[in-house]
Amino acid sequence: MTSDVHTLLNHYNINTLYPSAWPAEKDESDTSNDEQPTNKTKRPAHSQAKSRYSALIRSGSDRRSLVPGSEKTGDGIENLVQKDEPDPLGGPDSVVRILRQQGLPVEEDQRLRNRFLLSSTTFSPTLYLSQVHSDASTQSLLRGLESLSKSIDQKSASLKVLVESNFERFVRAKTTIDNVYAEMRNQGVDAPVPERPRTRPRITSKGSAHFRNSSAQGSFSPRGVDKALPSDKKKHALVKESEYGVQGIKAPLIEVAVKAEEIWGPALGGQAREETLKSALASVEECSAIFKIGPALSSYAKRRDYDSVVNEYRKARRFAEEARAMANQASGGQGPLTDSQVYRVVITARMWSGVEKQIDDFRREIWRRLTNVEAPPPSAAGQNTTDEPMALIGVLLELGVEDNPIWFWLLSRYDYLKTKITASFERSRVEIEILRRRLAHAEPPPSKSAITHLKGPRDTASHDKSHHLDSPDVLELWDLIHSSVSYLLSTAGGLLGEVIEFWDKAQAFIDGKIQRTLPIGLDGQSRKHHRLSTDGVKDLQKGFVELIEMLRDSVFAFFAEPPIEDVSMLYSPFPSTTPTTPKSAVFAPFAHQDSRFKFDASNPPPPSPKRGEAWEDYAFWPPHANALGGIHYLEKVLTLVAAAAMELGDLRPVSSSSRVQEGLKTLINGTRERCVSAVAAAWIRDAEMFHLMETFVRHSDRRDLTSLPAYFLAFENAVLSGLQRLAYIPDVASRAGSSSWITPPTSTTLKLIRRDFTKTIYVVLSDMIKDAEKHTSPQDTQSLEPMNAISLSANESFDGGNGESQSIRLLLTMSNIKYFQADLIPQLITHFETAFSLRIPEETKTIKDVLGQIDAKLFKSYTGPSAEKLASMIYNGITSPSWVPTTDHPTELRPYVYEALLFVVYIHSEVSTTAAPLLHAIISHLFERMVHAFLSALLARADRYTLAALTQATLDVEFVAGILSQYTTARAGELQNEIYQQLDARTDASARQRLRKELPGMRTVLKKLREGTRGEFACFKKVKGK
């Protein structure tokens, strides 16, 4: 029964006896089914009746495979491999069923099934045994071997019987084939062909008889060869000369083809082209998205639209993967590709080739931009350029690269900053030195200009102060110095800001904060670039500390070292440290094209001349600059230095390194000391210029003073305040945590400021004395003549403000000294002690002593000539022979008394209109000298005094004493008593008695004399209320 079932399944080419659907392959007919016989005779009626299984039954004339159970492949080609076979080892009747039970997809996978079928050429005995007989024992395998041997023997016997029974058929077929070939080959040949012996015909089958009859009646019969054939039949002979039977029809066919081409070519060709174009258009429309990728990618790359570039690349990659999947499917035997699929694969491959080339070029461009890109200054936060490096890194990570773009950018940024710090500092240093040399070789600013700048603290408004601090050339150099230091140390737009921003980025990468926003690439291939190695982190920290030390050393060298000698950098080409160094790295704050720094390379600016000036030792101090401008700019510079040091000290790599912190503190302290030292040196030089400011023009508020004290006080206060700001850096010291960075100034610094403070006072005082005592014209001595004093008109105003008179200069200088003693010096000392928290008692005492000595010297210089002139008048008058009156009751004063008093009136007028506070001291001193002159002159007379001489001497002395009574002093009173004692000693008793009697009359005479000269000597009268 099992054998019958297997026979039925193989006969009808089905898998089961109870199929659920009609087999699809039965609907398809091969070429044999289409070739039906064209017999016009009707078949019998019974032959037209078909069985219900007629579609499954092969007829004898059907040219399909005669092997039961054979199948046809997908391309319509049959093979001898059956769909199923019984076990050749005598086991189950269906190998496929056993494999299906084991879970193998043998029905779906034809190749796999063929490896288990014995009729297949790909049959695998090993695989067959391992799957079909996986649990068979040795005995069962031996029995199977025996069954297989018997089956082979039976099939061999069947083959022998088949050959024997069909041998005659094989012979007849061979003879027929030979005859047909010989007839076709010898067609048209004239040579006789020997007649073949006739053989007795054999009874053949119906089919074979049909073929024999049909061939015997035609030209294929051997008998036909003996007949004469027309010559045109040679064209059909199977010989080379007749092109093997094609020569006869070749020319007509060519003519027909040409004619057909002429008639139907355009129509058929147009239709073909139309179909081709339609097919191409349909394919183009279907693949339009693929065609657009290349141009879109190129456009986005030119516009630097990174997001769109990445999106297009992803789209191209998706299309490429789809095409690759199609190709793999076809190569895997899952069915051929359609024409549209083939076309899609081809254009996708071409598109992907172009996209890969564009992406490679785009990657190189991104690498180049990432190397040269500059981080924007912190002030540019919020702009698109701020995240450009991160955008470039994101693009590279998205596209996928071998090298780590994060590490690459950090290293290139480090090299860029390192080169830029060195180049910028050296460039700025040379530019500063060039301007220094030009200032040093130029003529010093005129005295008038220098004085104007020193008057600035008092005359200039605070908002407009910086424009009047110094000459334009000096201010230009100060601006260059400030901008250069600011470019190095500013956190907003300076190199320090770039270094800090670099570390912030590096720290963010180390902590992994930025990586959270960066892509991981296609299939996560860039995830490996998101983490920095431990050694890389250490290298970053070392590199950052190295950048900090470079900045610190550059700034400290600029302030601590003397001016440089080599300035060849400006006219020699600057070599880049690395090929990828951006050009901006070699630029200082000022461009190379600045005309100030252009000069002939063969004639560079010569070094600064050595004249022993203090500024020759300071590279940061402009020649001929004053202290006010220096304080104004150095305060800004020192604030930058201190703020930068504090900013760097708070960063993690610096805060953990005590060595770097100490270096930053040294930078602050060293720069501060150098700045204070330079300002102090200029302070002394400016003080030496103050004597040029003394024009003896009265002060607008105090007419007894010149403008010098006010200017000096304002100047000293400004310098002391500036030095205080330089020493304590208040703008930075007020910040939290500054105490560990901004230390109090050293004792050396305070000692320097203390010394130069007192020295500037001494310098100014010394120059004041020189200005007061110098002679400007010979007429100065004549101004003290009595006649000139007498001739002074009452309508004239004795001001003396023009400073041309020596006496006026002395008076104004003495008044200034008095102001110094009483007000100015105490203010300055208080300011100094308050500003620096340092008491200077020794210096205070010394300054007061010096002021006292100067005051005494000037007082003597002014009153000395006047006192000598008065003494000469009195002495000459008393020692004159005509001094003694001729009467014992004189009622008039001698002329010398009026001359002396008028001279005192002149002195009074000069002093009162020039320096009124000095009037009492000067007149009192002159009165003492006059009394002393009276005593000397009276003692100089050798004769004894008569009553007339006593009366005249008493009248002269008492009149002068009465006129100058408010200027009397204890010393004058003592001298006056001594005069009377000397007079009394040089007279006799009678004269004394008579003089006592004359005293009431003498008082009356003195009263009349005073009333008579009230107008002339009214200036000596004491004003009520004063």
Side-chain angles (χ1 to χ4, degrees):
M1 183 64 182
T2 303
S3 177
D4 295 338
V5 171
H6 180 68
T7 303
L8 288 174
L9 294 176
N10 288 338
H11 180 77
Y12 293 108
N13 197 21
I14 57 179
N15 297 325
T16 177
L17 294 178
Y18 306 99
S20 59
W22 182 261
E25 61 269 16
K26 300 303 178 180
D27 293 332
E28 300 175 0
S29 59
D30 55 7
T31 57
S32 298
N33 294 332
D34 296 335
E35 296 176 359
Q36 298 296 335
T38 58
N39 189 4
K40 296 182 181 181
T41 60
K42 295 183 178 180
R43 295 184 179 181
H46 65 85
S47 64
Q48 296 180 357
K50 295 183 179 180
S51 171
R52 60 184 297 186
Y53 300 105
S54 60
L56 302 177
I57 302 174
R58 293 186 177 88
S59 62
S61 61
D62 194 356
R63 295 187 181 181
R64 297 183 183 179
S65 175
L66 299 178
V67 179
S70 64
E71 61 180 354
K72 185 184 297 183
T73 60
D75 53 0
I77 301 175
E78 292 185 354
N79 54 35
L80 299 179
V81 181
Q82 302 179 15
K83 290 186 177 180
D84 195 3
E85 292 178 352
D87 184 8
L89 297 182
D93 57 347
S94 176
V95 175
V96 174
R97 187 175 68 251
I98 296 174
L99 296 174
R100 187 169 55 249
Q101 291 175 357
Q102 294 182 2
L104 296 177
V106 291
E107 293 183 351
E108 294 81 5
D109 192 349
Q110 179 181 351
R111 293 188 177 184
L112 178 62
R113 185 177 64 203
N114 291 342
R115 300 190 68 183
F116 293 96
L117 299 179
L118 185 61
S119 59
S120 172
T121 58
T122 61
F123 174 74
S124 175
T126 304
L127 184 62
Y128 179 84
L129 292 176
S130 65
Q131 296 295 334
V132 179
H133 295 275
S134 58
D135 54 352
S137 62
T138 306
Q139 295 298 326
S140 62
L141 292 177
L142 292 175
R143 286 194 297 270
L145 177 61
E146 183 179 357
S147 175
L148 180 61
S149 300
K150 292 180 179 180
S151 176
I152 293 173
D153 294 339
Q154 292 177 358
K155 289 184 178 181
S156 299
S158 300
L159 290 175
K160 291 179 181 179
V161 173
L162 178 63
V163 170
E164 292 177 355
S165 60
N166 291 279
F167 180 75
E168 292 184 359
R169 292 184 180 181
F170 293 155
V171 172
R172 286 197 299 271
K174 176 67 169 60
T175 302
T176 302
I177 293 172
D178 291 342
N179 293 337
V180 170
Y181 175 73
E183 186 174 336
M184 295 178 66
R185 182 188 62 187
N186 298 327
Q187 187 175 6
V189 179
D190 297 336
V193 178
E195 183 179 355
R196 297 185 62 179
R198 296 177 59 91
T199 58
R200 185 174 57 90
R202 298 182 62 181
I203 299 175
T204 60
S205 63
K206 185 178 181 179
S208 60
H210 178 268
F211 179 79
R212 172 67 60 88
N213 296 335
S214 62
S215 60
Q217 295 174 2
S219 61
F220 294 102
S221 174
R223 296 177 180 268
V225 177
D226 299 335
K227 298 180 181 180
L229 297 176
S231 62
D232 57 350
K233 290 185 178 181
K234 294 182 179 180
K235 298 185 294 184
H236 304 290
L238 295 180
V239 292
K240 184 176 182 181
E241 291 77 6
S242 61
E243 297 183 3
Y244 300 97
V246 203
Q247 185 179 7
I249 62 173
K250 183 176 181 181
L253 287 177
I254 293 176
E255 293 176 0
V256 170
V258 171
K259 197 65 176 179
E261 182 67 23
E262 292 177 357
I263 297 174
W264 297 100
L268 296 177
Q271 184 178 3
R273 284 195 299 271
E274 180 182 2
E275 295 297 330
T276 303
L277 291 176
K278 286 182 179 180
S279 176
L281 180 60
S283 300
V284 169
E285 290 178 352
E286 182 182 356
C287 303
S288 60
I290 301 177
F291 286 111
K292 294 178 181 179
I293 290 178
L297 192 62
S298 177
S299 175
Y300 292 142
K302 290 179 181 179
R303 290 185 295 176
R304 296 179 183 175
D305 188 352
Y306 303 140
D307 294 337
S308 299
V309 169
V310 173
N311 292 334
E312 292 297 323
Y313 180 66
R314 287 179 174 176
K315 190 185 301 182
R317 189 180 179 92
R318 185 175 67 252
F319 285 133
E321 290 175 353
E322 293 175 357
R324 189 177 294 108
M326 292 181 186
N328 292 337
Q329 182 178 359
S331 62
Q334 299 183 10
L337 298 178
T338 62
D339 292 342
S340 61
Q341 289 177 331
V342 172
Y343 184 73
R344 187 181 183 89
V345 170
V346 171
I347 64 173
T348 302
R350 295 188 62 181
M351 176 274 296
W352 181 245
S353 177
V355 166
E356 282 189 326
K357 184 177 183 303
Q358 290 188 45
I359 290 299
D360 289 341
D361 296 339
F362 184 70
R363 284 195 188 100
R364 285 192 291 271
E365 176 64 18
I366 295 299
W367 280 117
R368 187 190 63 80
R369 288 183 55 79
L370 186 60
T371 303
N372 298 334
V373 69
E374 291 190 49
S379 59
Q383 299 179 2
N384 294 332
T385 56
T386 303
D387 297 327
E388 185 177 4
M390 298 302 102
L392 298 176
I393 291 174
V395 171
L396 290 174
L397 292 176
E398 191 70 50
L399 297 178
V401 289
E402 292 296 329
D403 297 330
N404 189 343
I406 298 174
W407 181 249
F408 181 83
W409 180 74
L410 290 174
L411 288 182
S412 63
R413 189 68 182 163
Y414 162 75
D415 293 335
Y416 164 73
L417 290 175
K418 186 176 180 181
T419 304
K420 192 173 184 180
I421 290 172
T422 303
S424 299
F425 169 68
E426 295 298 335
R427 173 75 187 184
S428 299
R429 198 177 190 183
V430 172
E431 290 177 352
I432 291 171
E433 179 59 23
I434 293 298
L435 293 188
R436 280 190 76 259
R437 293 185 180 186
R438 290 179 178 172
L439 279 177
H441 286 281
E443 291 294 330
S447 301
K448 184 177 180 180
S449 175
I451 293 171
T452 302
H453 301 316
L454 296 180
K455 292 179 180 179
R458 181 176 177 271
D459 292 346
T460 308
S462 59
H463 66 276
D464 196 30
K465 184 177 180 180
S466 60
H467 299 288
H468 301 276
L469 290 173
D470 217 320
S471 63
D473 293 337
V474 173
L475 293 180
E476 180 187 17
L477 181 51
W478 274 126
D479 288 331
L480 177 60
I481 293 171
H482 176 258
S483 61
S484 299
V485 177
S486 178
Y487 183 71
L488 289 174
L489 299 181
S490 175
T491 56
L495 287 179
L496 178 61
E498 295 187 35
V499 172
I500 294 177
E501 184 184 9
F502 163 72
W503 175 247
D504 291 340
K505 290 288 187 183
Q507 188 64 51
F509 279 120
I510 294 172
D511 298 337
K513 296 178 180 179
I514 299 181
Q515 287 89 325
R516 299 171 187 171
T517 62
L518 293 177
I520 60 175
L522 300 173
D523 302 330
Q525 60 181 348
S526 297
R527 194 186 300 274
K528 60 183 179 180
H529 297 321
H530 282 210
R531 181 179 298 177
L532 298 179
S533 64
T534 304
D535 294 338
V537 172
K538 292 180 180 179
D539 292 340
L540 282 177
Q541 293 175 346
K542 292 180 181 178
F544 175 70
V545 171
E546 183 179 354
L547 293 177
I548 297 303
E549 291 180 340
M550 287 181 64
L551 280 174
R552 181 201 64 194
D553 296 341
S554 299
V555 176
F556 188 73
F558 176 66
F559 284 97
E561 296 178 0
I564 59 175
E565 298 293 336
D566 184 14
V567 294
S568 60
M569 176 185 178
L570 282 183
Y571 53 85
S572 61
F574 183 80
S576 297
T577 304
T578 58
T580 57
T581 300
K583 293 182 179 180
S584 58
V586 300
F587 290 160
F590 298 92
H592 286 270
Q593 290 77 17
D594 198 328
S595 59
R596 297 175 299 175
F597 310 114
K598 287 184 178 180
F599 52 85
D600 187 3
S602 61
N603 187 24
S608 301
K610 302 296 182 180
R611 302 189 183 101
E613 298 285 350
W615 47 261
E616 295 175 2
D617 297 330
Y618 303 98
F620 60 90
W621 192 269
H624 314 300
N626 58 50
L628 297 175
I631 289 174
H632 176 76
Y633 283 94
L634 290 180
E635 180 185 357
K636 296 180 180 180
V637 170
L638 198 54
T639 300
L640 278 173
V641 173
M646 286 187 59
E647 188 79 20
L648 294 174
D650 294 337
L651 299 177
R652 186 183 303 174
V654 179
S655 60
S656 60
S657 175
S658 58
R659 178 183 61 83
V660 180
Q661 287 187 335
E662 289 300 324
L664 294 175
K665 292 179 182 179
T666 302
L667 171 65
I668 297 175
N669 296 330
T671 304
R672 177 175 60 184
E673 291 182 2
R674 290 284 290 178
C675 291
V676 170
S677 177
V679 170
W683 192 11
I684 300 297
R685 183 177 177 275
D686 293 342
E688 294 173 352
M689 299 288 292
F690 262 84
H691 72 281
L692 301 174
M693 197 183 300
E694 184 58 278
T695 58
F696 295 99
V697 175
R698 306 293 183 88
H699 193 275
S700 58
D701 297 331
R702 292 191 58 174
R703 301 296 295 174
D704 59 321
L705 301 175
T706 64
S707 299
L708 176 63
Y711 285 127
F712 182 68
L713 176 62
F715 172 77
E716 289 288 289
N717 284 330
V719 174
L720 288 175
S721 299
L723 286 173
Q724 181 198 23
R725 294 192 296 272
L726 291 179
Y728 294 97
I729 320 177
D731 292 341
V732 181
S734 59
R735 302 181 184 178
S738 61
S739 57
S740 59
W741 293 94
I742 310 299
T743 58
T746 62
S747 58
T748 304
T749 302
L750 293 178
K751 184 177 180 180
L752 175 66
I753 298 174
R754 179 177 180 177
R755 182 198 66 190
D756 291 345
F757 169 66
T758 57
K759 188 173 181 180
T760 55
I761 296 176
Y762 296 151
V763 169
V764 171
L765 293 177
S766 176
D767 290 340
M768 288 172 65
I769 297 174
K770 295 177 181 178
D771 290 338
E773 291 181 344
K774 69 181 179 181
H775 295 273
T776 57
S777 62
Q779 286 77 13
D780 291 340
T781 57
Q782 299 178 4
S783 63
L784 302 179
E785 293 294 333
M787 295 308 296
N788 292 339
I790 295 173
S791 63
L792 186 64
S793 172
N795 296 327
E796 288 180 336
S797 174
F798 190 90
D799 192 357
N802 56 5
E804 293 183 355
S805 173
Q806 181 183 10
S807 59
I808 299 300
R809 293 197 300 271
L810 288 172
L811 285 173
L812 291 175
T813 304
M814 282 191 293
S815 182
N816 290 340
I817 294 299
K818 289 293 184 183
Y819 177 71
F820 270 69
Q821 287 178 312
D823 196 1
L824 191 147
I825 296 300
Q827 286 187 40
L828 292 179
I829 291 176
T830 302
H831 188 180
F832 178 88
E833 293 178 345
T834 305
F836 301 100
S837 302
L838 179 67
R839 297 189 60 82
I840 49 173
E842 297 180 0
E843 285 80 359
T844 302
K845 182 178 181 301
T846 303
I847 292 173
K848 289 181 179 180
D849 293 342
V850 171
L851 285 173
Q853 295 173 8
I854 292 174
D855 181 61
K857 182 178 181 180
L858 292 176
F859 189 84
K860 183 178 179 181
S861 298
Y862 179 78
T863 60
S866 300
E868 291 177 359
K869 202 166 282 292
L870 288 172
S872 177
M873 291 179 185
I874 294 172
Y875 184 84
N876 292 333
I878 292 177
T879 57
S880 175
S882 60
W883 177 73
V884 178
T886 57
T887 177
D888 292 338
H889 304 285
T891 58
E892 296 292 337
L893 298 174
R894 290 305 182 208
Y896 78 91
V897 176
Y898 291 104
E899 292 180 4
L901 289 176
L902 286 176
F903 184 76
V904 176
V905 169
Y906 167 77
I907 299 299
H908 184 281
S909 177
E910 185 178 58
V911 174
S912 62
T913 55
T914 304
L918 303 177
L919 180 62
H920 190 277
I922 291 175
I923 300 301
S924 298
H925 177 73
L926 292 179
F927 177 57
E928 289 181 4
R929 295 295 300 273
M930 290 175 69
V931 176
H932 188 272
F934 275 112
L935 177 60
S936 300
L938 292 173
L939 292 177
R941 293 184 66 88
D943 52 352
R944 296 183 67 80
Y945 290 94
T946 61
L947 179 59
L950 286 174
T951 303
Q952 188 64 50
T954 303
L955 285 175
D956 293 346
V957 173
E958 286 296 327
F959 182 82
V960 172
I963 294 296
L964 300 176
S965 60
Q966 66 167 332
Y967 300 104
T968 186
T969 62
R971 176 63 179 164
E974 293 175 0
L975 291 174
Q976 191 174 355
N977 291 332
E978 188 176 354
I979 288 173
Y980 293 136
Q981 292 175 4
Q982 293 295 333
L983 291 175
D984 186 64
R986 292 195 177 195
T987 186
D988 52 13
S990 61
R992 289 193 208 95
Q993 291 296 330
R994 293 172 63 186
L995 181 60
R996 292 192 185 99
K997 293 179 180 179
E998 294 292 336
L999 287 177
M1002 190 182 299
R1003 293 190 180 95
T1004 303
V1005 173
L1006 288 173
K1007 184 178 180 180
K1008 291 180 179 179
L1009 292 173
R1010 290 188 185 117
E1011 291 178 355
T1013 58
R1014 179 181 297 176
E1016 287 81 353
F1017 306 120
C1019 60
F1020 299 126
K1021 186 177 180 179
K1022 185 176 182 180
V1023 181
K1024 293 182 179 181
K1026 288 189 179 182

